[in-house]
């Protein structure tokens, strides 16, 4: 049974965790925006690495080290191909999105001066706010904020008005993790480039649903984490254009990132090693590549179409429930449904849903400025993946109605 290109039964069989129970009920996992589940194909790759060729990379002449290095570099090429980077060394493997943003933010301390301006959006994850605030403290640069609208979109006219010759960097998420809004990054980038500013796109929430072509979009920096796209935790990437990465100083000093070390002077290695100090998450990097292979096998167009169907269905059903307020109603969204029920704290709703085996996230979703904008403490967030089903949404709705009757 294939629907919108997704054979749910077949896909679900790939994810061992989906057959477990929680509180005596089959698990309904709707916390995909926080982390996705891992298919057996990716778990097998990790087990295979530790079972057969666990070794440190780049250093050894021995066979295992060569096999590990080859697999790691093939993964880098898979990531390069997926995002259409011009060169494999423009892909820096990091511990995740947060690490990737910090590499850029910390590097820019050497390139900015007082009076420079940075532009951030009002709907960012804290990891795309705090490193830049720290950068502003260090350099005297100023942070300007693109405001958002009630619908949960960016006010683009206000954005254009913020840009000027002092603007050095713009950072914005491709998709908001709290609202699901897909931001018009192409327009954002074109306008930023027109004043000579560079753009960092936080793709942590977009990459599981949308295949971004960094060259076609002319993206300067793109960051994402593997654990939101069927890969393991603790690994992610920083894509940067070669000349921009070359202009940044290294983030950490240590092994692997040097060309030559003497006590008089140390010179740094070329890309990507300059930003990859120390022993990386080798199994994780290899599994990151495997996760992209897995998702590409299913196909990103099929994934997006199917998830959108789930979103539309869930939104329509949820709107019928009395007292429900949905946050984030942008015309273009990924499958994130953030909502509250009048008079009920999101945490209480989430706890009762958990008792019925349904995993949703509650709280501010690491995006407090959005919650402040709507003047709420947080939301309940159900976020869907291609391995979810309409039947699971029906179960959530039944559970939600029961929770509301218990709490009101
Ligand atoms: C999850 C997320 C992050 C942070 O990712 P980590 O894997 O925790 O580093 C940043 N931005 C967005 C939009 C996210 O969804």
């Amino acid at each position: 049974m294939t629907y919108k290109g997704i054979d749910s039964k077949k896909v679900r069989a790939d994810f061992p965790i989906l057959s477990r129970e929680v509180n005596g009920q089959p698990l309904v996992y709707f916390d995909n925006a926080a982390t996705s589940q891992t298919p057996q194909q990716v778990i097998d790759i990790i087990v295979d690495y530790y079972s057969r060729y666990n070794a440190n990379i780049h250093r050894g002449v021995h066979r295992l080290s060569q096999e590990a290095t080859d697999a790691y570099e093939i993964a880098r090429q898979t990531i390069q191909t997926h995002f259409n980077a011009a060169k494999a060394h423009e892909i820096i493997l990091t511990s995740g999105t947060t690490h990737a943003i910090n590499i850029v933010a910390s590097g820019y301390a050497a390139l900015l001066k007082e009076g420079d301006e940075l532009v951030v959006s009002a709907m960012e994850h804290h990891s795309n706010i705090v490193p830049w605030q720290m950068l502003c403290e260090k350099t005297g640069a100023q942070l300007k904020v693109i405001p958002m609208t009630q619908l949960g979109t960016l006010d683009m006219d206000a954005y254009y008005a913020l840009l000027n010759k002092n603007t050095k960097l713009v950072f914005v998420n491709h998709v908001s993790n709290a609202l699901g809004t897909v931001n018009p990054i192409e327009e954002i980038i074109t306008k930023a480039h027109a004043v000579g500013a560079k753009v960092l796109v936080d793709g942590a929430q977009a990459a599981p649903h949308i295949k971004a072509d960094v060259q076609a979009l002319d993206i300067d920096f793109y960051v994402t984490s593997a654990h939101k796209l069927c890969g393991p935790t603790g690994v992610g990437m920083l894509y940067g254009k070669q000349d921009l990465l070359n202009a940044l100083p290294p983030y950490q000093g240590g092994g692997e990132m040097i060309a030559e070390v003497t006590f008089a002077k140390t010179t740094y290695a070329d890309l990507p090693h300059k930003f990859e100090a120390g022993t990386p998450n080798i199994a994780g990097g290899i599994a990151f590549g495997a996760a992209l292979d897995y998702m590409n096998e299913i196909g990103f167009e099929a994934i997006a179409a199917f998830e959108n169907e789930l979103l539309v269905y869930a939104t329509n059903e949820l709107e019928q429930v009395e007292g429900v307020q949905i946050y984030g109603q942008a015309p273009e969204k990924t499958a994130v449904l953030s909502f509250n029920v009048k008079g009920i704290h999101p945490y209480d709703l989430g706890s009762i849903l958990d008792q019925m085996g349904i995993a949703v996230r509650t709280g501010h979703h690491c995006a407090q400025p959005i919650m402040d904008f709507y003047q709420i403490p947080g939301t309940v967030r159900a976020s869907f993946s291609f391995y979810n089903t309409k039947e699971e949404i029906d179960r959530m709705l039944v559970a939600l109605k029961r929770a509301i009757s218990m709490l009101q």
Side-chain angles (χ1 to χ4, degrees):
M1 249 196 331
T2 303
Y3 183 71
K4 300 253 177 204
I6 300 284
D7 182 341
S8 273
K9 208 167 162 206
K10 183 163 169 283
V11 163
R12 288 176 66 80
D14 290 339
F15 292 81
I17 210 168
L18 296 180
S19 55
R20 74 161 277 185
E21 293 194 343
V22 170
N23 293 323
Q25 309 264 1
L27 166 69
V28 172
Y29 187 77
F30 283 165
D31 196 16
N32 295 288
T35 200
S36 59
Q37 294 304 341
T38 318
Q40 192 62 50
Q41 288 87 333
V42 174
I43 298 171
D44 286 346
I45 291 285
I46 297 168
V47 172
D48 185 49
Y49 168 79
Y50 284 111
S51 312
R52 285 201 315 110
Y53 63 103
N54 176 29
N56 212 327
I57 53 173
H58 305 307
R59 295 189 180 98
V61 290
H62 64 81
R63 176 66 176 267
L64 263 52
S65 175
Q66 284 168 18
E67 287 182 11
T69 305
D70 288 349
Y72 198 68
E73 291 310 318
I74 286 170
R76 194 192 304 276
Q77 285 164 19
T78 302
I79 298 164
Q80 175 204 355
T81 305
H82 178 79
F83 292 103
N84 194 31
K87 301 178 181 76
H89 63 240
E90 292 176 321
I91 303 294
I92 312 296
L93 287 157
T94 67
S95 70
T97 300
T98 304
H99 177 199
I101 294 171
N102 275 282
I103 291 175
V104 180
S106 136
Y108 262 89
L111 307 177
L112 294 183
K113 56 181 188 318
E114 215 173 317
D116 285 341
E117 295 180 7
L118 311 178
V119 174
V120 65
S121 100
M123 61 170 86
E124 296 308 306
H125 188 283
H126 295 162
S127 67
N128 202 22
I129 301 174
V130 183
W132 306 110
Q133 289 175 322
M134 291 161 65
L135 173 64
C136 286
E137 268 174 35
K138 266 190 260 177
T139 59
Q142 263 200 333
L143 195 59
K144 307 270 174 168
V145 183
I146 313 167
M148 55 184 276
T149 68
Q150 281 296 326
L151 276 183
T153 57
L154 291 178
D155 181 339
M156 292 299 282
D157 288 331
Y159 167 59
Y160 303 149
L162 288 177
L163 295 171
N164 64 66
K165 65 177 184 353
N166 296 322
T167 314
K168 290 296 179 301
L169 265 174
V170 175
F171 20 94
V172 62
N173 56 36
H174 192 173
V175 169
S176 156
N177 65 304
L179 304 173
T181 308
V182 180
N183 284 315
I185 54 165
E186 199 164 357
E187 240 174 289
I188 290 171
I189 292 167
T190 308
K191 296 283 184 191
H193 285 174
V195 297
K198 305 299 178 200
V199 181
L200 179 140
V201 177
D202 172 356
Q205 205 56 234
H209 317 281
I210 303 167
K211 196 165 171 165
D213 180 326
V214 294
Q215 289 188 84
L217 292 162
D218 202 15
I219 294 173
D220 299 304
F221 299 104
Y222 192 86
V223 298
T224 197
S225 297
H227 70 92
K228 289 184 180 170
L229 42 82
C230 299
T233 55
V235 65
M237 68 138 196
L238 161 64
Y239 159 80
K241 287 179 183 165
Q242 173 178 277
D243 56 332
L244 297 178
L245 289 176
N246 277 332
L248 290 182
Y251 177 59
Q252 286 183 309
E256 287 297 332
M257 53 74 72
I258 51 89
E260 201 171 4
V261 176
T262 67
F263 283 107
K265 185 175 168 57
T266 288
T267 50
Y268 305 129
D270 290 335
L271 297 174
H273 307 295
K274 176 175 139 185
F275 293 108
E276 295 183 349
T279 301
N281 181 351
I282 302 167
I286 296 166
F288 185 177
L292 287 177
D293 284 341
Y294 175 82
M295 292 191 74
N296 276 306
E297 183 82 18
I298 293 172
F300 275 79
E301 278 179 25
I303 287 171
F306 182 81
E307 290 174 345
N308 189 58
E309 190 77 15
L310 293 180
L311 176 71
V312 169
Y313 178 72
T315 306
N316 289 340
E317 293 293 316
L318 196 63
E319 277 172 343
Q320 313 298 318
V321 181
E322 208 177 300
V324 164
Q325 168 79 51
I326 295 173
Y327 300 96
Q329 291 174 306
E332 210 188 329
K333 276 184 69 173
T334 60
V336 170
L337 202 47
S338 241
F339 63 94
N340 273 328
V341 179
K342 206 171 170 192
I344 301 179
H345 197 278
Y347 181 81
D348 295 336
L349 267 183
S351 303
I352 293 184
L353 290 180
D354 176 58
Q355 284 167 25
M356 303 188 208
I358 299 164
V360 293
R361 174 124 186 234
T362 64
H364 55 59
H365 318 300
C366 297
Q368 269 180 6
I370 297 180
M371 304 303 136
D372 292 347
F373 174 79
Y374 289 116
Q375 297 183 312
I376 50 176
T379 69
V380 178
R381 182 186 67 186
S383 49
F384 311 125
S385 179
F386 59 91
Y387 46 71
N388 291 128
T389 63
K390 284 189 181 172
E391 290 70 33
E392 290 181 309
I393 292 171
D394 289 339
R395 266 191 60 200
M396 178 181 76
L397 289 158
V398 169
L400 187 69
K401 285 173 196 160
R402 192 156 351 136
I404 292 171
S405 68
M406 286 163 71
L407 292 165
Q408 267 179 347

